[in-house]
Amino acid sequence: MQHPHPNRTSRIAGFHTMTPRERLDRVAAFADLAPEAVDRLSDFGNLAPDLADRLIENVIGTMTIPLGIATNMRIDGEDVLVPMATEESSVVAAVCNAARQNRDPGFTTSVSGNLMIAQVQAVGVSDPHAARLRILERCAEIAALCDGCDPVLVRLGGGFRDLEVRVLDTKGGPMVVTHLVVDTRDAMGANAVNTMAEAVAPHLAAWSGGRVYLRILSNLADRRLARAHAVWRTEAIGGPEVRDGILGAYHLAEADPYRAATHNKGIMNGIDAVVLATGNDTRAIEAGAHAYAARSGRYTSLTRYEVTAEGDLSASIELPLAVGLVGGATKLHPTAQTCLKILGVTSAERLARIIAAVGLAQNFSALKALATTGIQRGHMALHAQNIAMMAGAVGDEIAAVAAVLVERRQVRMDVAEEVLVAMRRG
Ligand code: NAD
């Protein structure tokens, strides 16, 4: 039967085989898009349409978000300019401010390694504990199978490193879960280890006597931790009261998941922005970070704050950071490549270390603002401009309306509309 409104069907046969422009026309007809909206969507910005169309499916355009640079960062004695892609105001400024208050000596960082974990799930194993040992006895064979999947990685010094076999008691009965631990060098490594897990799976089924289902990496990359620490001198941050306010904010995040979620969200504001700017997988990083924050069984803060013997504020962060310089969009997206060049990184490890430092800087600024003036004051200047634009201000009107909103301490849409009308009346 003919659909009553032929354009209003989501069943579009062959949509994936169309060009981005053909798809856009179909979407425009479906959603009744104005010609200006269609024009804007057909501008692909700094990502070539052909490339965008190859990166994901059913492409009609690109979504452009601002790219800012965090200044002042000194990491392991080296000055770094950090590109950050985010739509949220104050995120870049927060990193700049935290780093300005800690230029000397800046941030010290390290990693635990480049090791990713792939999991293979075996079920229906009648003797799971003996099966575990049978698998462990095949370690050398498993190593050869894994390395055989990726000669490029092996040539670069990566490849299979370790084998773990766990017996889990689940609602579906016992499961034998094999972990392949693989050094993925400068790749995030998801595809690399997934391929290995698939290659090993039939053997694990035979050795365990069970059936193998899932074969995929774990985003809880706890053998790929990045760490950063820094000391903010109490006198540089406004005195002991500010220091103690920050400590109090941390203590709440440490004790309370309601606060920890927001505390860690702030950390991820900084981390995701660099992850995205470098073409890495923000969801993989988020999943790993939050799983790590809950590793004790209770969700808690990813950072820690203490007082040094000298009375200064010592801050640290540790979290899984599986980022790469090759693979996924990192190598393909020209902006990601330029961001890596700005960062001056030549290894995934260095990138992870910088990102950890950015997360810590972000967190310090957020806690300092919360413990002193409140978060809204810093947010207000940019937020007021957003509100002014939402109220219809254009060009010079944006800053003028925003200034009035901030001055009146009334950053609200209705007030912005009122101010704009008055301003236009002269
Ligand atoms: P990839 O397979 O595209 O690239 C990695 C490969 O590049 C290696 O296997 C190696 O053969 C080669 N290589 C060349 N130079 C290298 C170097 N210097 N260091 C290491 N390897 C080098 O990508 P990947 O990193 O295996 O996978 C990343 C992608 O997988 C991301 O796009 C991610 O979004 C996606 N992904 C993620 C998940 C998840 O997080 N759960 C699941 C599936 C896929």
Side-chain angles (χ1 to χ4, degrees):
M1 197 183 93
Q2 177 77 22
H3 196 280
H5 303 283
N7 287 334
R8 296 283 304 170
T9 174
S10 63
R11 175 76 198 104
I12 308 177
F15 193 70
H16 70 286
T17 63
M18 296 177 188
T19 65
R21 182 64 215 207
E22 287 165 348
R23 290 187 203 117
L24 177 55
D25 289 340
R26 289 297 295 261
V27 172
F30 179 97
D32 207 10
L33 296 183
E36 310 83 71
V38 175
D39 281 353
R40 248 194 316 277
L41 268 175
S42 38
D43 175 1
F44 274 63
N46 58 23
L47 189 61
D50 277 2
L51 178 55
D53 199 27
R54 261 182 281 129
L55 281 177
I56 66 163
E57 308 76 35
N58 291 357
V59 165
I60 61 163
T62 55
M63 173 80 192
T64 317
I65 56 167
L67 180 68
I69 294 286
T71 54
N72 305 328
M73 290 292 281
R74 184 173 287 164
I75 302 172
D76 302 313
E78 212 179 283
D79 275 36
V80 184
L81 289 178
V82 185
M84 301 178 71
T86 179
E87 86 301 340
E88 186 172 350
S89 55
S90 303
V91 169
V92 179
V95 175
C96 299
N97 286 337
R100 188 174 38 74
Q101 293 165 69
N102 182 21
R103 284 280 297 157
D104 187 21
F107 298 80
T108 305
T109 68
S110 60
V111 292
S112 68
N114 281 334
L115 300 179
M116 293 302 281
I117 299 167
Q119 294 192 298
V120 184
Q121 171 206 32
V123 302
V125 179
S126 50
D127 56 348
H129 291 280
R132 175 174 169 269
L133 300 195
R134 289 198 295 276
I135 295 169
L136 286 170
E137 284 157 12
R138 304 287 186 142
C139 186
E141 238 171 292
I142 291 172
L145 281 165
C146 290
D147 286 347
C149 293
D150 204 333
V152 175
L153 188 61
V154 173
R155 188 153 38 79
L156 291 164
F160 178 88
R161 287 290 181 274
D162 201 0
L163 183 68
E164 291 169 346
V165 187
R166 299 155 65 221
V167 177
L168 297 185
D169 207 8
T170 79
K171 282 187 175 162
M175 290 183 190
V176 179
V177 179
T178 301
H179 285 189
L180 310 172
V181 182
V182 180
D183 184 335
T184 59
R185 309 307 289 170
D186 291 324
M188 180 266 190
N191 290 318
V193 302
N194 291 348
T195 308
M196 294 177 185
E198 294 199 354
V200 172
H203 301 272
L204 293 178
W207 297 327
S208 68
R211 293 184 309 283
V212 161
Y213 287 100
L214 271 60
R215 297 145 290 163
I216 189 160
L217 88 156
S218 169
N219 286 110
L220 178 50
D222 62 0
R223 297 182 70 165
R224 203 172 187 175
L225 301 175
R227 307 171 174 129
H229 65 97
V231 173
W232 276 272
R233 280 184 303 109
T234 296
E235 66 192 53
I237 61 173
E241 225 173 285
V242 174
R243 178 200 63 198
D244 293 344
I246 294 173
L247 278 168
Y250 157 64
H251 291 147
L252 177 57
E254 203 279 324
D256 176 22
Y258 283 93
R259 174 58 207 152
T262 318
H263 178 98
N264 291 342
K265 189 274 181 184
I267 294 171
M268 301 315 286
N269 278 342
I271 287 180
D272 282 347
V274 191
V275 171
L276 186 58
T278 55
N280 276 288
D281 184 337
T282 52
R283 292 80 52 208
I285 298 303
E286 285 278 346
H290 296 293
Y292 193 68
R295 67 194 179 284
S296 70
R298 182 172 64 84
Y299 186 81
T300 188
S301 168
L302 284 165
T303 52
R304 289 172 191 274
Y305 287 80
E306 298 156 301
V307 178
T308 66
E310 295 74 32
D312 294 322
L313 187 67
S314 173
S316 53
I317 186 169
E318 182 181 60
L319 78 166
L321 272 177
V323 288
L325 307 184
V326 298
T330 50
K331 256 277 199 285
L332 301 174
H333 199 303
T335 309
Q337 280 296 299
T338 307
C339 289
L340 288 172
K341 171 89 175 116
I342 294 170
L343 282 164
V345 294
T346 52
S347 71
E349 180 186 313
R350 174 73 178 159
L351 177 58
R353 292 163 63 152
I354 291 173
I355 294 173
V358 169
L360 186 59
Q362 183 72 42
N363 187 235
F364 166 84
S365 273
L367 296 196
K368 187 179 171 204
L370 282 168
T372 53
T373 53
I375 206 81
Q376 283 310 78
R377 195 158 119 188
H379 266 281
M380 272 313 144
L382 275 174
H383 179 58
Q385 294 198 22
N386 292 348
I387 295 286
M389 285 189 275
M390 277 159 63
V394 288
D396 292 346
E397 290 172 345
I398 299 169
V401 172
V404 177
L405 300 185
V406 172
E407 191 191 298
R408 288 200 200 162
R409 293 175 172 266
Q410 284 185 317
V411 184
R412 295 195 331 236
M413 258 301 260
D414 57 321
V415 181
E417 280 164 1
E418 223 172 81
V419 172
L420 186 62
V421 169
M423 211 173 262
R424 283 181 179 168
R425 259 196 234 118

